Amino acid sequence: MKKILIYPVDKAIFAVLDNIDLLKEIEIVGLVSPKGWGYCGQEVYVNGKKITITDQFEKLIKKSTDIWIVNSDNKLEFDKFILPMLEISVLRGVEVSIYREFDDDINNLVNTKFKKIIVQNVNSNNDISSYEGEIQIIDTPIILLLGLFENFNDFNVQLVIRKELLKRGYKVLQIGSKNESEIFGFESFPSFIKKHDIKESSKILMLNSYIVRKMKEQKPDVIVLGVPGEILPYSNKIHTDFGLTNFYVTKAISPDLTILGLPFEIYNLLDIQNIKKNVEGLLGLVVDYFYVSDKKIDPWETNTKGELETVTIDCDIFENFKEIEPISNLFWGFSLDVFYTLAQKAISQLEEYGKVEII
């Protein structure tokens, strides 16, 4: 059994921990977080086992066979906080898997420095060398998951939908919005989408060809596609790619069911209708379901720092919102139970329409 140490830990990895029961033959033996992040001493339950988050990296690496270097909401300097941990791990013969996103220079450094050691760098995967010159028809039903802004496509929703589909006996081809998708045995979003030396029309064709190739290899009953990035920029100054990744996706494929993640606000029916109209007009698709994240945009910090900053809303606060106008296709995502209800309803809709069935 593999004994896993996870570093660096903050709230970004909690969705993985919540769904670790999808994996067999592993044990999480340590969760390590830098001191200044405020997570040390916090207790979390992982597959029924209580684990205390600590900063004791060198102590816990001695108990580990593997280490996962993961993404975090907090930023971390590579030379000071990541590279030394990689060197310690390699010296101890621990197998390293890198899921954290790095820029090209750091990826090249990692791949060069550790080329003689077994280091799995997910950032180097999922490229495609050839593709068709036209959009190919995909006749397998597709569930598409999007976020209105960056980091609002909740990874928990993607994993819960996977669980529900597998439980019902479906064979699933899944491409996730995060590199941590690879932990669960499905594809992370292909890296060529972010490359600046590939023209836009080629990215659309490449993505279509990539999905078709995977479909032919795996012969799934259903495809689940989680898209990173934003549909809308927060402002003219604060943005990631102005929705280009979502644009590429919706030109490469035609979804059968679409789920959209929203930042926390108090939405009424008119708000949802306006969001639905705007998103559908931009991307040329129908949004079937919405869920509200437990993250709220902090406008002061966002404008001060020049990048999207959020605060997490305590689930207990939701008890004060009993008077919210009920909206049948809107889910308030303050617990895994809510996500399971969303997943069950979405899958049942596909089944009802006869679009998904076990081959």
Side-chain angles (χ1 to χ4, degrees):
M1 177 179 287
K2 291 186 175 183
K3 298 182 180 296
I4 311 294
L5 173 64
I6 301 179
Y7 175 83
V9 168
D10 69 1
K11 190 176 185 296
I13 198 62
F14 286 1
V16 170
L17 301 180
D18 286 341
N19 295 278
I20 209 76
D21 58 305
L22 278 166
L23 303 177
K24 309 299 179 187
E25 300 301 320
I26 74 158
E27 178 188 0
I28 305 300
V29 296
L31 302 173
V32 176
S33 179
K35 276 186 179 178
W37 286 4
Y39 287 88
C40 292
Q42 182 174 334
E43 295 178 337
V44 295
Y45 282 89
V46 182
N47 211 8
K49 174 185 175 183
K50 185 167 67 175
I51 300 178
T52 302
I53 300 172
T54 177
D55 65 341
Q56 301 297 307
F57 183 92
E58 293 195 42
K59 177 181 177 181
L60 288 169
I61 198 69
K62 296 175 183 177
K63 302 178 181 179
S64 309
T65 62
D66 295 69
I67 180 172
W68 296 345
I69 305 294
V70 298
N71 286 293
S72 59
D73 290 336
N74 290 281
K75 291 182 171 57
L76 207 57
E77 185 180 342
F78 175 81
D79 289 344
K80 188 174 180 180
F81 293 100
I82 301 289
L83 184 58
M85 308 311 183
L86 289 175
E87 292 172 336
I88 291 169
S89 301
V90 168
L91 282 173
R92 294 199 62 86
V94 173
E95 187 166 327
V96 180
S97 295
I98 300 175
Y99 303 101
R100 192 175 183 88
E101 293 187 15
F102 297 131
D103 61 30
D104 288 344
D105 288 341
I106 292 178
N107 279 328
N108 291 335
L109 185 153
V110 170
N111 292 333
T112 300
K113 184 176 180 64
F114 301 108
K115 63 183 178 180
K116 294 182 179 179
I117 311 294
I118 300 175
V119 176
Q120 179 193 2
N121 187 355
V122 171
N123 298 283
S124 304
N125 298 343
N126 291 343
D127 277 330
I128 184 169
S129 57
S130 63
Y131 56 93
E132 297 297 324
E134 62 182 18
I135 296 294
Q136 302 170 79
I137 300 298
I138 298 173
D139 52 14
T140 301
I142 299 174
I143 299 175
L144 182 65
L145 298 107
L146 312 172
L148 189 63
F149 299 116
E150 176 78 7
N151 292 326
F152 285 99
N153 185 352
D154 197 306
F155 196 49
N156 248 324
V157 179
Q158 298 173 47
L159 292 172
V160 166
I161 286 177
R162 179 177 183 82
K163 277 186 184 178
E164 281 298 306
L165 286 166
L166 293 174
K167 187 169 74 175
R168 298 188 189 201
Y170 292 113
K171 188 174 182 182
V172 183
L173 165 58
Q174 188 160 2
I175 300 173
S177 62
K178 297 172 73 71
N179 281 357
E180 284 80 3
S181 303
E182 308 271 347
I183 291 172
F184 296 94
F186 61 94
E187 313 291 331
S188 55
F189 210 80
S191 56
F192 58 74
I193 286 292
K194 294 183 178 181
K195 293 191 173 178
H196 300 297
D197 57 346
I198 301 174
K199 62 183 181 179
E200 281 69 19
S201 59
S202 296
K203 289 181 180 180
I204 294 168
L205 292 168
M206 289 169 73
L207 182 59
N208 175 262
S209 292
Y210 179 79
I211 295 171
V212 169
R213 187 185 73 194
K214 293 292 181 181
M215 184 180 69
K216 289 178 177 177
E217 290 172 357
Q218 299 184 25
K219 297 180 174 57
D221 303 309
V222 60
I223 298 169
V224 179
L225 182 57
V227 185
E230 62 194 9
I231 293 175
L232 297 171
Y234 180 76
S235 69
N236 289 337
K237 292 183 178 180
I238 300 169
H239 54 82
T240 51
D241 66 354
F242 288 98
L244 283 176
T245 299
N246 282 278
F247 173 80
Y248 300 147
V249 169
T250 53
K251 294 297 173 284
I253 57 101
S254 296
D256 296 275
L257 187 141
T258 301
I259 301 173
L260 177 64
L262 304 173
F264 177 83
E265 292 292 345
I266 306 305
Y267 298 98
N268 59 34
L269 181 58
L270 182 59
D271 295 329
I272 296 301
Q273 288 173 338
N274 286 334
I275 292 170
K276 179 179 173 70
K277 180 180 178 181
N278 288 333
V279 170
E280 291 179 352
L282 278 171
L283 299 179
L285 47 70
V286 174
V287 180
D288 299 278
Y289 295 97
F290 302 82
Y291 65 89
V292 180
S293 170
D294 64 351
K295 292 187 292 186
K296 179 177 173 59
I297 295 173
D298 184 332
W300 173 260
E301 287 292 320
T302 293
N303 290 316
T304 300
K305 295 183 179 180
E307 59 185 19
L308 204 62
E309 295 287 337
T310 62
V311 293
T312 300
I313 304 297
D314 193 303
C315 62
D316 293 336
I317 295 175
F318 185 66
E319 294 301 317
N320 298 321
F321 300 143
K322 296 298 185 184
E323 302 303 317
I324 292 175
E325 178 181 3
I327 303 170
S328 62
N329 63 342
L330 177 67
F331 295 79
W332 296 85
F334 284 82
S335 73
L336 277 178
D337 289 341
V338 174
F339 291 151
Y340 277 109
T341 302
L342 167 58
Q344 290 161 3
K345 193 167 184 179
I347 296 166
S348 294
Q349 178 178 316
L350 278 185
E351 291 175 333
E352 182 181 339
Y353 292 166
K355 290 188 173 182
V356 59
E357 58 184 17
I358 299 174
I359 297 175

